[in-house]
Structure formats: structure tokens, C-alpha cells
Amino acid sequence: MSYIYNRLYVCSRCDAVFPLRLTRWCASAAAAVALPDFLKGAPYHKHPGVTHLKTPGLPEGLQRAALAVIHKYEIKDLTERVDRLTNVLWSRKRAVETSQLRQRAIALEKKLMENEKKTQSDTDKHSSDAQIRMKVLTELRSMTYHWTPLRYDAELGVVYMAARLAGGYAAVLRALNEIKKRDIAFSPYSLLDFGSGLGTALWASHTLWGDSLKEYVCVDACGDMNTLAEQLLTGGSESGEPLIKHVYFRQFLPVSPKVQADLVVAAFSLSELASQADRQETVLTLWRKTSSYLVLVENGTKEGHQILMEARDILLKSEEKVTHDSRRPATFAPCTHELPCPKLLSQKIVPCNFLQSYSPLPLPGNPEKQQEKFSYLIMSRVKQEDVGEVDWARLTGPVHRRTRHVQCQACCASGELKQIAVTARHHGRHIYRCARNSDWGDRLPVIQAEENKLTDETHDS
């Protein structure tokens, strides 16, 4: 916004300063300045790299249905159970692989045997071997995460609804919104939601593409979850007219390898599989069933991020086993490259995650606004090409807007993680204005000719 300071007019478009009598000339001159191609005619606060949403809430019909179901079950100590389940889900880790356990056991046994040799006599050898084996087993049990599958019945499903429905919906909506904004021509006809749970991906995709989507297939092995998802579709009742039509619930994926969906989503599902082999098989199966976009969403923890990077590597390095769709996978978001993730390569591994504020269900104890921390990965059958001499960097941390510069952390197309201080003087007013109007998770345009300046530019906050 332009403003007047000490009888001087400061132009918001070009940062020029004019005496007050020349303000009319400045406004007309600014209007005549051509915007660069990468803006595609959009204002700075809506530039093509902006993907964050304001504060989405649940669709009105879904919120009413969720409240009706929660009140119907009348679960005692709901708030406490919601808190406990939230903590369990957030701290959940992958099951330890058998190969990892074997390596740990060998290392422990070697260490204990070396200690025993220093104080051991020949007569004690056989008894100490048995003791060492017992010590190895005891230490392995104490230091190993005991993964067990989560079993949802109807009551626990309702607790999950109160805890995760709004946050899960906001995370999936944010991920899908990037496809909606960047690929305007994409009009999906069919959705396949693996590990659909309460149907958050179904509702989020309907919010964005309700006019074009005509078939929704929700796959979840838990029958009670499918029943709850159906109740949400019918406004909270067990029978009634569905709010979204052509929704089909299944407990297993379609068998035919040729059955594909335009949009395939797996939200908070890969982390619930028992082993790396199961995850690899599932990811490859979901990819074979993807016609355009595969969207994976997980908790914004180290575990969630590593699961997604594991999935990306599986898809990029695998050879297609079927011939009906030989198009190679391309990374669409959030990565701006297909090189190893720089956050996983650093000595101190920090997850690549993003924040999305949202309005939770209006239940006792809930604030008006909460934040969902999540990680996501979108793979595409068709690589998107950005026009113009511009690369896009992903903002992977909070954006600090300072006087005359913007401090950013960005994952660049070169595969490097950089700290950038964007200024109008060095990077041009268009990039600077875009940076000031960007937030964590958005993409920031980087003019290729200016890339060398971005690497060296640092300013004290």
C-alpha cells in the first residue's frame, strides 16, 4: 500500500519517493510499468508461488455432521482422550526392521563380550555366554520402539474425529490447493483415497473440484471407520441422502492394474504400515493407479518426512512394471528438484514440514484457531514447466520481514538449502515484493541471472 511520509509520497509498486505534488504522475507511471512474466498478471500478494491458505474451516455440512456424531456417542472424558490420542499419533514411529534389530544385537553382543573378556576366567565361559545373550535381549527390549498397529472401533473412531478431522482436512486441502493453483487445466474425474479414514481427502478434493469429480473411491481396512465416514456423508445419520454423491467405500484396493484415478491420495496412511517392504509395495501400487497426481501427506515429524522421502526415492528409482502407462514420475511439490533432500543430508536432521492454521471443531476446550504441522509429497505423471527465466525456491522456514530486506530459508532448484536476504536493490522490486508477501511453504521466484547474488547475500536481522 502506498503511503505519505513527511510530505513525501512512497510508491508501493516501485519504492520510489516523490514530492506530494508529483503523486498523480507517479501513480500513472507505476500503472504503465510492465509486470514480469512469472507473475502472470497477479498482484504481489497473490503471486503464483503463494500456496498457503488463510484459515480454512470444515465445510458446513461436514462440521454439522461431525458434531452430531460426537454428541450422539456421548463419550466420557472426551477432552482427555483426545489429548492422549493426539500425543500417541504425533509421537508414533515406524516399526524397527528385522535387519536393524539384527545389527543392533550383533553390536551389543560384541561390546559385552569385549567387556567380559577382561574379567573372565575359562571356567566361567559357558555361563557368561548365556548371560551375555540375556543382557543383549534385555537391552534390545529397552531401547527398541515397540510398534503395534492401531485398532479403531466405533468409539475410538469418534475420539479420532474430535482430535484429527479438522487438522487432517486442513493439511490435505493445503496440499491439494497447490495442484489447483499451479495446474489450472486439471479437472479430475475420479479420486482414489487410500487409508481414507473419516474421508478428509474426499471432502477436501470435493471443496476444490466438486464440479468435475464424479467418482470417489475410499479404501480403508477398518469397517468402523468406513461406517463413520458414511455417517458424515449423510449429515450424521445412518441413513439419509448423501451430501456428496458417487462415493464408494471399499476395504481393499481395486485388483485390476489398469484401473486408474486422476487423483490418488494417501493421508497419514503410510506411517501405519508394518514394514518398509509394505510401504514400498503400497507406494508402487498407488503410483500404478495414478493417472495424473499422487498426493502423500504425513505428520510434520522426522518420521513423517523420512517416510515421504523414502517414497519419493522408491518412485524415482523404480522401473515401471506395467506397460499401460509408462510415463515417468516427476516431483511436483514441495521439492523444487529431484536431488537428495538437503535437510536429510545435514548433520542435525530437521524435518521438512509446513504450518497451516485452521478452525477446529467448536468443542469445549478448543481455541478458535489452531495450527497443523505436516509434511507432504506430490508426484506427477507430467512434469510442469514454468515459463520465463525464473526458478522457484521453496520457503522451508518462517519468513522474517525486516526493514528493507526479507530473511528467508529456501530449498533451491540446485538442491541446496540457503539462507537468503532478499532486497529490492539486489534482486529487483518484483522479487522483493513477492518475498514480503510470501510465507512458510510458499514458492519464491528467483531470477536465474540473479542466483549468484542470492547465495552471497546475508544481512543481520
Side-chain angles (χ1 to χ4, degrees), residues 309-351:
M309 291 301 97
E310 175 188 275
R312 189 185 76 146
D313 289 345
I314 288 168
L315 292 177
L316 292 178
K317 294 175 183 176
S318 68
E319 292 297 327
E320 200 70 49
K321 293 182 181 178
V322 291
T323 55
H324 69 272
D325 195 338
S326 58
R327 291 173 295 167
R328 295 293 300 158
T331 307
F332 182 81
C335 311
T336 55
H337 55 84
E338 294 185 348
L339 298 166
C341 175
K343 288 207 168 190
L344 290 183
L345 293 176
S346 61
Q347 285 186 343
K348 183 182 178 183
I349 296 177
V350 179

Side-chain angles (χ1 to χ4, degrees), residues 167-419:
Y169 171 83
V172 176
L173 186 68
R174 164 79 173 268
L176 294 179
N177 183 63
E178 182 149 358
I179 302 175
K180 174 81 171 178
K181 182 159 187 179
R182 289 174 58 188
D183 189 354
I184 302 171
F186 181 57
S187 274
Y189 176 86
S190 54
L191 165 77
L192 172 62
D193 182 10
F194 174 75
S196 53
L198 298 171
T200 49
L202 150 70
W203 285 91
S205 58
H206 182 266
T207 299
L208 297 174
W209 295 288
D211 294 336
S212 67
L213 278 168
K214 302 300 179 190
E215 182 178 273
Y216 305 82
V217 178
C218 298
V219 179
D220 200 296
C222 178
D224 287 319
M225 275 292 198
N226 288 336
T227 302
L228 286 171
E230 287 186 274
Q231 288 182 30
L232 292 177
L233 277 176
T234 54
S237 64
E238 294 183 2
S239 60
E241 194 67 22
L243 300 173
I244 302 174
K245 299 184 185 300
H246 309 297
V247 179
Y248 307 98
F249 290 93
R250 304 172 58 111
Q251 288 188 293
F252 304 99
L253 284 166
V255 177
S256 171
K258 293 187 179 181
V259 174
Q260 285 188 317
D262 298 322
L263 184 62
V264 178
V265 180
F268 310 103
S269 304
L270 294 180
S271 52
E272 291 305 319
L273 298 178
S275 68
Q276 185 179 13
D278 288 344
R279 289 193 297 274
Q280 178 171 339
E281 183 184 351
T282 301
V283 166
L284 290 172
T285 301
L286 293 177
W287 178 247
R288 286 194 289 270
K289 297 192 175 301
T290 301
S291 172
S292 295
Y293 290 101
L294 170 63
V295 181
L296 308 175
V297 182
E298 291 293 337
N299 284 333
T301 58
K302 287 183 185 179
E303 291 288 317
H305 177 220
Q306 288 171 340
I307 285 171
L308 294 179
M309 291 301 97
E310 175 188 275
R312 189 185 76 146
D313 289 345
I314 288 168
L315 292 177
L316 292 178
K317 294 175 183 176
S318 68
E319 292 297 327
E320 200 70 49
K321 293 182 181 178
V322 291
T323 55
H324 69 272
D325 195 338
S326 58
R327 291 173 295 167
R328 295 293 300 158
T331 307
F332 182 81
C335 311
T336 55
H337 55 84
E338 294 185 348
L339 298 166
C341 175
K343 288 207 168 190
L344 290 183
L345 293 176
S346 61
Q347 285 186 343
K348 183 182 178 183
I349 296 177
V350 179
C352 183
N353 52 28
F354 306 95
L355 283 178
Q356 176 59 57
S357 61
Y358 67 95
S359 299
L361 283 168
L363 294 171
N366 279 353
E368 290 185 5
K369 185 190 289 189
Q370 285 183 314
Q371 285 191 319
E372 176 75 6
K373 186 177 282 187
F374 68 101
S375 297
Y376 72 106
L377 173 69
I378 303 177
M379 302 298 291
S380 169
R381 284 279 184 191
V382 184
K383 187 165 178 135
Q384 303 289 317
E385 297 292 342
D386 290 312
V387 234
E389 296 180 359
V390 64
D391 283 333
W392 291 88
R394 179 75 60 176
L395 297 175
T396 56
V399 175
H400 302 289
R401 299 166 186 85
R402 308 301 188 199
T403 306
R404 296 184 182 176
H405 78 277
V406 183
Q407 200 78 29
C408 310
Q409 182 191 79
C411 185
C412 301
S414 61
E416 299 172 277
L417 198 63
K418 299 179 181 179
Q419 296 292 336

